[in-house]
Amino acid sequence: MAFVSFLSFTLDRNSIRSSQQIFTAMLGDRSEYLADITLEYGYWNDAIENVVYDLNMSWVRETFVDYMQEELQIEGMHVIDGNNQPKLHVVKGIVRDADIVARYGDSVSVLIAKARATKQDDAPEPATGMVGGLANLYLASAVLMTGYAEESDKSTDHVLIFARPINADILTEMSAKYGLPNLKLSDMPPAHWQAGYDIRGIDGKLIGYFVWNPALAGFRMLPILAAGVLIVFFCMFLAARLFFRRASDTVRELEAAKLEAEQTRELLASQARSDPLTGLGNRRLLDEKLAFLQGQRPLPDGHALLYVDLDRFKEINDTYGHETGDLMLLYVAEALGDLANADDTVVRLGGDEFVIVFGRARRERVLSAGRAIVEQLSQPVNLEGASYAIGASVGIAFSHNPTELLRQADVALYSAKRRGRGQVAVYSADLLDFRHVPIQPASQPG
């Protein structure tokens, strides 16, 4: 019986350790997921423009109110300015005043300080950890709001904070999903038959404990073990199978949750790199593509970039309204997409400007694409029963240095527009002296 008791105790210790490993992995996944979400929103030019430089409450409500709480379960969103003064609070889906120290405790200042430790004008690193107390416990993440530019990132002095509550409802959900019976918060460490996890704040101070009652195979089997060694070993075998099956199910659930988190991160990353109207890439995607080309071996003519500017878009937009203008932009986006190959990247820079970065295209194909764009867009465009005349000018650049492509194509585009509408110009050093480029009236055909 002494051997049976020792074996039962050993099984119980293994059960407790296994459940603690599951809890540790689960909490780590939740922390990483919250940090990724915070980074996506804090490292975003749209957020900089609508929160830091100009507080656009319409954009704030659309972006941070309903979606944040219902889809991402983020209860608190806060923006702190360079003087550590609150600039914006969204709590439980409502924009309102809030005292973050009263809500999250003094440790929130440590969270903010860790976020500000990001190197100036570098990609931000989110700070993530526990804040608050047992009565109001939160998993929070903060990041120094940073914009991305062509040359380098641009740090602001504002800090974005996201906080997810760890309350009774969340603990009940975690308990059922990961097999952690009676999971709760406690100011006392776990008893010897319980499993536990220290709750330490972002400042390293002990807040309390997560405590739960794992299934103890050895304790449950003691009455049966007393009936005889044969029954003992048989029951131990069954219990071990049941335990490892449950552990396997829990691991699969964790993998599914991690896959779901990765899919959410991929969706957020895709949204940050695409133009919301046309679905094409945006300036951030263009920068990443040009950076990628730095490590690629070019063709003899070099890498190629084609810059398109619509000639009469403003007239259409002003005369017929933004809805017609948006339809025209969608038409142009589709036309450019049809001309691009799978390894080409089509980007809308903003307004009526578009760019195609070619993968590995020879000079004649690039020039042919430029001529095709001018020819197609010079034809009347039928939109919802009405016909519109638009036109386009194209600048093309070839360079072995991808960082020069956009600037050179812009120079070529300027040269094309000075010659009149419906022109294609290829960059050369001579174009830098605009005195040799005749200025023609805009009404003249290309």
Side-chain angles (χ1 to χ4, degrees):
M1 288 304 295
F3 170 74
V4 169
S5 298
F6 171 76
L7 195 56
S8 174
F9 175 81
T10 302
L11 280 173
D12 290 346
R13 292 296 97 193
N14 287 335
S15 297
I16 290 173
R17 281 194 294 269
S18 296
S19 67
Q20 287 173 332
Q21 291 172 353
I22 291 171
F23 182 87
T24 301
M26 176 273 297
L27 190 61
D29 282 346
R30 286 177 175 250
S31 299
E32 182 180 352
Y33 176 59
L34 181 60
D36 287 342
I37 293 175
T38 308
L39 181 62
E40 287 292 339
Y41 281 89
Y43 191 28
W44 188 17
N45 279 348
D46 283 5
I48 304 300
E49 293 174 3
N50 291 284
V51 175
V52 177
Y53 298 144
D54 181 21
L55 188 55
N56 184 342
M57 295 308 299
S58 175
W59 186 90
V60 167
R61 291 187 179 92
E62 180 181 348
T63 306
F64 291 116
V65 177
D66 297 335
Y67 178 74
M68 296 299 292
Q69 185 168 7
E70 294 177 6
E71 300 296 330
L72 302 180
Q73 297 180 339
I74 292 176
E75 181 179 291
M77 188 283 290
H78 313 274
V79 176
I80 308 301
D81 67 18
N83 296 318
N84 282 335
Q85 295 301 311
K87 185 172 184 179
L88 174 67
H89 302 288
V90 179
V91 179
K92 295 183 178 179
I94 300 174
V95 179
R96 63 186 187 187
D97 291 336
D99 185 341
I100 61 172
V101 175
R103 187 175 186 83
Y104 304 120
D106 293 333
S107 58
V108 72
S109 61
V110 178
L111 182 74
I112 295 171
K114 286 181 178 289
R116 291 191 185 281
T118 295
K119 186 178 178 181
Q120 189 69 18
D121 296 336
D122 202 350
E125 292 287 340
T128 306
M130 298 289 184
V131 295
L134 291 181
N136 295 286
L137 186 63
Y138 293 85
L139 178 62
S141 185
V143 68
L144 185 65
M145 299 186 73
T146 304
Y148 44 83
E150 180 179 354
E151 299 296 335
S152 65
D153 296 324
K154 182 65 176 178
S155 302
T156 73
D157 59 0
H158 285 48
V159 172
L160 173 68
I161 302 173
F162 284 166
R164 300 181 73 180
I166 301 179
N167 51 31
D169 292 340
I170 297 297
L171 292 175
T172 300
E173 175 193 339
M174 293 163 60
S175 175
K177 187 171 184 178
Y178 299 104
L180 308 169
N182 301 318
L183 177 63
K184 63 181 180 180
L185 303 177
S186 174
D187 58 356
M188 298 294 294
H192 70 274
W193 67 86
Q194 295 178 311
Y197 185 91
D198 292 356
I199 305 173
R200 294 195 175 272
I202 189 72
D203 56 1
K205 295 181 180 178
L206 181 66
I207 298 175
Y209 306 88
F210 289 106
V211 175
W212 63 96
N213 299 324
L216 301 178
F219 177 77
R220 292 180 177 180
M221 287 163 33
L222 271 176
I224 303 174
L225 292 175
V229 174
L230 181 60
I231 298 177
V232 169
F233 282 106
F234 179 71
C235 291
M236 287 172 58
F237 173 74
L238 291 180
R241 287 195 61 184
L242 289 174
F243 173 76
F244 287 116
R245 180 178 298 175
R246 177 57 183 165
S248 298
D249 291 343
T250 302
V251 170
R252 282 194 294 270
E253 291 173 358
L254 282 171
E255 290 176 348
K258 188 172 183 179
L259 177 61
E260 181 181 351
E262 290 175 351
Q263 291 172 342
T264 300
R265 289 196 294 270
E266 290 175 359
L267 175 61
L268 290 172
S270 176
Q271 291 174 345
R273 291 165 174 80
S274 63
D275 174 54
L277 173 63
T278 63
L280 300 178
N282 60 11
R283 182 56 181 265
R284 183 173 181 178
L285 181 63
L286 174 62
D287 293 342
E288 292 178 356
K289 179 66 175 180
L290 294 177
F292 170 77
L293 290 181
Q294 289 277 40
Q296 303 300 306
R297 184 178 180 180
L299 293 175
D301 289 323
H303 303 291
L305 184 145
L306 185 149
Y307 202 148
V308 182
D309 183 84
L310 304 183
D311 287 334
R312 301 180 185 87
F313 177 75
K314 187 177 186 304
E315 300 172 16
I316 293 175
N317 214 30
D318 293 343
T319 304
Y320 301 103
H322 293 294
E323 291 184 1
T324 300
D326 288 348
L327 290 175
M328 183 64 71
L329 291 175
L330 289 171
Y331 171 82
V332 173
E334 182 178 358
L336 297 182
D338 291 341
L339 289 171
N341 288 345
D343 59 343
D344 300 336
T345 301
V346 185
V347 169
R348 181 190 175 202
L349 286 184
D352 59 352
E353 295 181 342
F354 296 82
V355 164
I356 300 178
V357 182
F358 292 88
R360 290 183 64 81
R362 296 191 178 277
R363 186 183 187 89
E364 184 51 42
R365 179 180 165 249
V366 178
L367 298 177
S368 176
R371 292 190 292 267
I373 291 170
V374 170
E375 180 178 354
Q376 181 171 349
L377 296 184
S378 67
Q379 304 299 319
V381 178
N382 294 315
L383 299 175
E384 297 185 337
S387 181
Y388 304 92
I390 184 166
S393 298
V394 173
I396 296 175
F398 298 92
S399 176
H400 289 75
N401 183 2
T403 61
E404 293 292 320
L405 283 172
L406 187 61
R407 181 188 64 81
Q408 293 178 356
D410 186 42
V411 172
L413 176 63
Y414 183 71
S415 172
K417 294 183 76 67
R418 284 173 65 92
R419 292 190 174 98
R421 293 173 175 168
Q423 297 286 327
V424 178
V426 180
Y427 174 82
S428 66
D430 294 339
L431 295 182
L432 294 175
D433 187 356
F434 294 110
R435 295 171 300 175
H436 301 299
V437 180
I439 301 177
Q440 295 187 14
S443 60
Q444 290 184 0

